[in-house]
């Protein structure tokens, strides 16, 4: 089974721009979660989608948004980029059937905001 | 608030044993996860504990005490490939994972 894939792997943007990141979960997985990872901060939860609906949301400003398509692929959008948005963005998928699932992570997208 | 604490960095010797501690405070509790993350790679699942006690899986074991809000990951017979960051995450009452900042483990020959 193919793992979780994320595109692009690296991105360089400037302040004020917007960016869209993509995540393809493991086949059959219906839940996709997004995290921001920065040194010393650990993983910060952004949101989780299940069957095209946002099921859970972290404490991030409205500039961060996401969506999930009928094939479970998910996109995350960040508008009006700030320097502090520079981070590794990780996507994780799980079957989503049970409340407690092991999450399978993708390699991440490293975003640099200049 | 919700909080996970774990040491920032630890150093151990190849062949030895190391224990990585994690304390948590969450709104409700639905279990504790440990993940391993090698530099530049994605985190991978190591263990899940929801009941008190020790779970052993090969060279790795994980312990949980719900009353103390405490867990540890025990790594035996350390190998150089165990050099990585170890992430502790507690699941709250909304089944949302609250993550620690990770413990960077350095293995020396």
């Amino acid at each position: 089974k193919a793992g979780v894939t994320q595109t692009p792997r690296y991105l360089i943007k400037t302040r004020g721009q917007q960016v869209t990141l993509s995540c393809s979960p493991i086949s059959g997985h219906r839940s996709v979660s997004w995290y921001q990872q920065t040194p010393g901060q650990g993983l910060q939860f952004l949101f989780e989608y299940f069957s095209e609906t946002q099921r859970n949301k972290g404490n991030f400003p409205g500039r961060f948004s996401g969506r999930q398509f009928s094939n479970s692929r998910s996109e995350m959008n960040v508008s009006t980029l700030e320097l502090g948005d520079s981070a590794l963005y990780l996507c994780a998928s799980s079957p989503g059937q049970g409340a407690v699932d092991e999450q399978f992570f993708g390699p991440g997208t490293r975003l640099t905001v200049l | 608030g919700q909080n996970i604490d774990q040491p920032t960095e630890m150093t151990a010797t190849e062949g030895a044993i190391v224990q990585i501690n994690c304390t948590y405070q969450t709104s409700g509790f639905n279990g504790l996860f440990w993940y391993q993350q090698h530099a530049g790679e994605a985190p991978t699942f190591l263990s899940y504990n929801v009941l008190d006690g020790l779970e052993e899986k090969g060279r790795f074991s994980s312990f949980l005490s719900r009353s103390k809000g405490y867990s540890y990951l025990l790594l035996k017979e350390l190998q150089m490939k165990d050099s990585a960051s170890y992430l502790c995450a507690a699941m709250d009452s909304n089944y949302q994972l609250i993550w620690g900042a990770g413990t960077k483990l350095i293995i020396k020959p």
Side-chain angles (χ1 to χ4, degrees), chain A residues 9 35 37 40-43 45 56-58 88 90 99-107, chain B residues 30 33 35 37 40-45 48 87 91 94-102:
Chain A
R9 292 293 312 277
Y35 295 91
Q37 187 176 34
Q41 289 285 321
L43 273 72
F45 172 72
N56 236 328
K57 188 177 187 304
L88 180 67
L90 289 164
V100 179
D101 281 324
E102 172 189 345
Q103 296 199 326
F104 296 81
F105 284 84
Chain B
N30 281 299
F33 290 79
Y35 280 76
Q37 186 178 25
E41 297 183 13
T44 55
F45 171 81
Y48 170 70
L87 313 179
M91 184 168 274
N94 292 323
Y95 297 97
Q96 183 174 319
L97 283 172
I98 311 301
W99 294 81

Side-chain angles (χ1 to χ4, degrees), chain B residues 9-52:
Chain B
E9 188 174 296
M10 298 182 72
T11 302
T13 305
E14 191 177 13
I17 299 173
V18 71
Q19 178 175 308
I20 302 174
N21 296 325
C22 169
T23 57
Y24 62 89
Q25 284 180 297
T26 53
S27 303
F29 179 74
N30 281 299
L32 190 122
F33 290 79
W34 284 96
Y35 280 76
Q36 179 191 60
Q37 186 178 25
H38 285 101
E41 297 183 13
T44 55
F45 171 81
L46 286 177
S47 68
Y48 170 70
N49 294 65
V50 67
L51 301 176
D52 285 355

Side-chain angles (χ1 to χ4, degrees), chain B residues 46-67:
Chain B
L46 286 177
S47 68
Y48 170 70
N49 294 65
V50 67
L51 301 176
D52 285 355
L54 187 69
E55 297 267 349
E56 296 186 72
K57 201 186 284 186
R59 294 189 298 114
F60 291 11
S61 303
S62 56
F63 171 84
L64 176 68
S65 169
R66 294 176 66 133
S67 62

Side-chain angles (χ1 to χ4, degrees), chain A residues 37-110:
Chain A
Q37 187 176 34
T38 53
Q41 289 285 321
L43 273 72
Q44 304 293 316
F45 172 72
L46 282 151
F47 27 65
E48 181 209 1
Y49 286 88
F50 177 78
S51 292
E52 301 178 69
T53 302
Q54 189 179 85
R55 189 159 71 173
N56 236 328
K57 188 177 187 304
N59 295 321
F60 276 79
R63 300 186 296 109
F64 292 81
S65 63
R67 58 178 176 168
Q68 187 180 35
F69 302 95
S70 58
N71 62 357
S72 293
R73 189 178 71 84
S74 177
E75 286 183 349
M76 190 192 100
N77 186 275
V78 188
S79 62
T80 320
L81 284 166
E82 300 177 0
L83 294 179
D85 297 334
S86 293
L88 180 67
Y89 290 88
L90 289 164
C91 153
S93 79
S94 63
Q97 300 298 331
V100 179
D101 281 324
E102 172 189 345
Q103 296 199 326
F104 296 81
F105 284 84
T109 294
R110 184 162 296 282

